[in-house]
Amino acid sequence: AWLVNTGWSGGAYGIGERMSIKTTRGIIDAILDGSALNANYVKEEAFGLDIPAELPGVDSQVLNPKNAWEDKDAYDATASKLAGMFVKNFEKYAGKGSVDYTQYGPQI
């Protein structure tokens, strides 16, 4: 499965900007033509996502959200806050059903 950011990049609302259609199209093209499968990946810390380091025709700075933010400390604080919100939300599913889905959420 692929998670593609088609929303905000480069900072919090009012600082960053929307992902361009050209960038989104480049990412989708790399997925569809298979080049994304052959990319080198880096692990995103808060959510454990594998992020391609580069894709053909796509500015590598926007692939990893932290790289797109000028203020890296603000990114870390925002990512940590969001991960904490996910962890709290996942708590209501702990121990329910046959699979403990909390293991798949952020690890903070």
Side-chain angles (χ1 to χ4, degrees):
W2 298 95
L3 177 63
V4 179
N5 179 6
T6 60
W8 214 255
S9 178
Y13 180 78
I15 297 172
E17 57 188 39
R18 302 252 337 150
M19 294 290 276
S20 73
I21 296 295
K22 180 181 177 186
T23 296
T24 301
R25 185 76 247 162
I27 295 168
I28 298 299
D29 287 346
I31 292 168
L32 294 175
D33 72 18
S35 58
L37 287 173
N38 299 317
N40 292 319
Y41 286 82
V42 294
K43 182 73 74 177
E44 188 278 333
E45 295 173 19
F47 291 88
L49 301 171
D50 292 321
I51 300 172
E54 57 184 40
L55 294 173
V58 178
D59 178 1
S60 61
Q61 287 299 104
V62 300
L63 292 173
N64 186 329
K66 185 172 185 172
N67 293 343
W69 283 49
E70 187 173 323
D71 185 341
K72 306 298 188 231
D73 291 334
Y75 172 84
D76 287 338
T78 301
S80 180
K81 178 182 176 183
L82 181 60
M85 292 166 67
F86 270 82
V87 168
K88 181 166 179 52
N89 188 54
F90 271 54
E91 288 173 0
K92 63 184 167 189
Y93 301 107
K96 297 184 180 188
S98 59
V99 177
D100 179 9
Y101 289 102
T102 59
Q103 67 183 318
Y104 301 112
Q107 305 299 310
I108 55 172

